[in-house]
Structures are given as structure tokens and as C-alpha cells.
Amino acid sequence: MTAPTTIVYKTVGDVEIPFDLYLPKDAKNVPVLLWFHGGGLLQSKRTNVSPHMVKAVDKYKIAVISADYRLAPQVGVADIFEDVQDCITFIRHPDGLLKYIDSTAIDAQRMAVCGSSAGGYLAFLAGLYVEPKPKVILPIYPITDPLGTFFTTSQPHPLGGGRTDHATVESFLDPNGEVVTSNEKNSDREQMYFYMMQEANLAELLRIKPGDDTYRIAKQIYRRRLPPAYCIHGDADRAVGVEQCDEVVGIMYGLNMDVKYERLHGLDHLFDRDAAFELERMYEYMMKHV
């Protein structure tokens, strides 16, 4: 694998939105795995790629693209999903990504969309609303419903910490504040997710109004359908309740959709940051469908 290449896929005003492209050596018509990071759509950045995904580039001969997107609450989920759609269009379109790389390196029509936590939520939204649909989606401990019980009930700090002080995140809560696409690890913005959990206000921060089911995955599956999906969630997850994934997978099973579910006993959020996890069955499922 060569070092990743950073490419700006979209500019909104003076805000550039980049992704990192990881290619295997001598790439020739390889499929694309597009991954979105977590953080509640409120924080984090594209460089938080788990070891298994970096290894997968050469192991499975795939292109991995890790994309940033604008962060809430300075924009809403509709704007963020617009970034997702524009990112996929950029990758697929002959005048997009292929202008920056050897035109035979990737086969952009063979696309999987993956994401962790809030990124898994974006993968589900891509599966619902992007046309043509991705060949397969791979949500990892995904958020599926910002209006679900987990996110409308105050939750304890998932790492055992105390309450997050409002003053710590006050500047990041301003909906009219500076629009950003990422933050550094040492930024106080890294406290936004913990603050959201204690305040139980994810839907509000994402500008989702009560009664609007557009961004509630389970509510849209019957009408919009989903491509084949491989879902992974630990049943000890303290940052996204496993029932979020259970609900969506249950509906997919009930509708006889192509879905596989690794519901992992005793594992918490971010378990796959450990290099011991390679998620082979997920990648095998992906390769079967792309």
C-alpha cells in the first residue's frame, strides 16, 4: 500500500472537504470501500481509521477512501448527507476522482459504503437514498435513530467520566459558529458526544424535528429498501445502544433482505480499534457483493 493521497472532493464557500485515498500496490480495477468516521456527526476526523481497514487495502486488494464531512450543529444532517451524496458522485463520475489517479486503478461502480458509529448511520442513509445504490453497506456499531430511546434518554459518560460542563463545549454548540469538517484529538470539541449523551439532544443538534422520519432508518426500509448489509454491534456498547442496530436488522430479516449480523457478546464501542480484530467475515461478505 502506498501512503494515502488527500483529495478535496467538495468545496462549500471557503470550506474544503477532503478524503484520504488508500490504494493497494499496482491497483487495477479494484473495488472501493468508502468509510465515514464516527463522533455523532459532531466531532472527529477521517484519519481515525481502524487498523483492520488499513490492512484490508492490500489483504483484499481494495481502495479505501476515508472521508470528512461538515460537522453538526453548524450544519444539519441534511447538509451532512448532501456531502455523502456528493462524495459518492465525485468517486463515481469520470470527471471526479479519476482525474487524480490512473483511470484503470479503481472500478468506482463496485462500491461498498462503510462507517463506524455515526459513520454507520451515514452508510445506512447512503443505502436508503443514494441512486444507484451502493453494492453493499457495512455499518459498524451504527447509530440508526437519533429519535430512538437511547438518544432521547440521558446517558452516563460511556468511559465512566463525570458530566461534561456546558462551558467546555459552548462555542461548538453555536449553530451559527464556524463550519468545520474535522477537529484535532486535543480539541474540546471531542467532548461534544459526551455532552450530547447526557443532554439527550442528538436529534436537535442534527436539526431533525419530531415527527420527521426521513432520517430514522427503520422507518424508511420498507419504502426505500436497502442493498445487502453486513452489520456489526457489540451488546455491551455504552456509546450507541445495541438496540439501535437490532431494530434495523430485525426489519431487514423480516423483509427477507440480504443481511448478516455479527452481534458480539461483551464488546463495547470502538472495539475494532484494537489491531487484534480483522473483521474477516465482513470483508468476505463485501467482496462477494462488489
Side-chain angles (χ1 to χ4, degrees), residues 20-269:
D20 288 344
L21 168 66
Y22 300 77
L23 279 175
K25 189 177 179 183
D26 302 322
K28 188 79 170 175
N29 294 323
V30 300
V32 175
L33 187 158
L34 171 60
W35 180 79
F36 294 100
H37 68 79
L41 308 183
L42 305 167
Q43 64 187 56
S44 199
K45 63 190 300 187
R46 69 187 185 280
T47 53
N48 290 328
V49 181
S50 291
H52 64 81
M53 199 159 288
V54 177
K55 286 188 212 169
V57 174
D58 284 323
K59 184 174 179 179
Y60 298 99
K61 297 292 187 249
I62 61 175
V64 168
I65 295 176
S66 176
D68 278 333
Y69 45 84
R70 289 172 291 172
L71 298 177
Q74 287 71 43
V75 300
V77 67
D79 306 290
I80 295 167
F81 184 60
E82 184 180 278
D83 294 344
V84 172
Q85 292 175 301
D86 290 342
C87 184
I88 292 172
T89 298
F90 180 88
I91 294 166
R92 285 174 165 172
H93 199 279
D95 290 329
L97 174 58
L98 294 182
K99 292 202 306 184
Y100 295 84
I101 61 174
D102 184 326
S103 62
T104 65
I106 67 168
D107 182 348
Q109 305 315 308
R110 298 170 62 203
M111 180 182 291
V113 180
C114 181
S116 304
S117 195
Y121 180 43
L122 296 179
F124 270 126
L125 289 174
L128 287 174
Y129 294 115
V130 169
E131 296 292 346
K133 291 185 183 298
K135 298 292 186 187
V136 60
I137 57 173
L138 313 167
I140 303 172
Y141 37 81
I143 292 171
T144 67
D145 187 359
L147 287 167
T149 301
F150 186 87
F151 291 108
T152 55
T153 306
S154 181
Q155 302 289 337
H157 195 297
L159 302 179
R163 290 181 63 81
T164 301
D165 186 52
H166 176 84
T168 303
V169 295
E170 185 172 13
S171 62
F172 308 112
L173 290 167
D174 181 1
N176 299 312
E178 179 187 6
V179 175
V180 299
T181 63
S182 64
N183 62 265
E184 297 304 321
K185 197 71 178 171
N186 61 359
S187 167
D188 282 341
R189 191 167 191 126
E190 285 288 297
Q191 303 301 311
M192 281 285 284
Y193 196 85
F194 304 140
Y195 181 81
M196 173 275 294
M197 288 181 68
Q198 76 185 29
E199 299 299 318
N201 64 348
L202 179 59
E204 177 187 339
L205 293 172
L206 298 182
R207 306 184 188 179
I208 299 173
K209 293 181 171 57
D212 180 3
D213 290 340
T214 307
Y215 302 101
R216 306 181 75 183
I217 305 303
K219 301 284 189 181
Q220 296 295 331
I221 296 173
Y222 185 84
R223 187 168 64 89
R224 302 292 310 187
R225 311 295 289 181
L226 282 168
Y230 197 101
C231 305
I232 302 175
H233 213 129
D235 68 3
D237 196 319
R238 293 173 291 178
V240 177
V242 70
E243 71 277 2
Q244 290 261 314
C245 199
D246 288 349
E247 180 183 28
V248 170
V249 170
I251 291 172
M252 292 188 72
Y253 276 132
L255 293 173
N256 294 314
M257 293 182 176
D258 188 340
V259 59
K260 299 292 183 186
Y261 190 18
E262 277 197 77
R263 194 181 194 274
L264 301 172
H265 182 60
L267 291 184
D268 201 351
H269 210 61

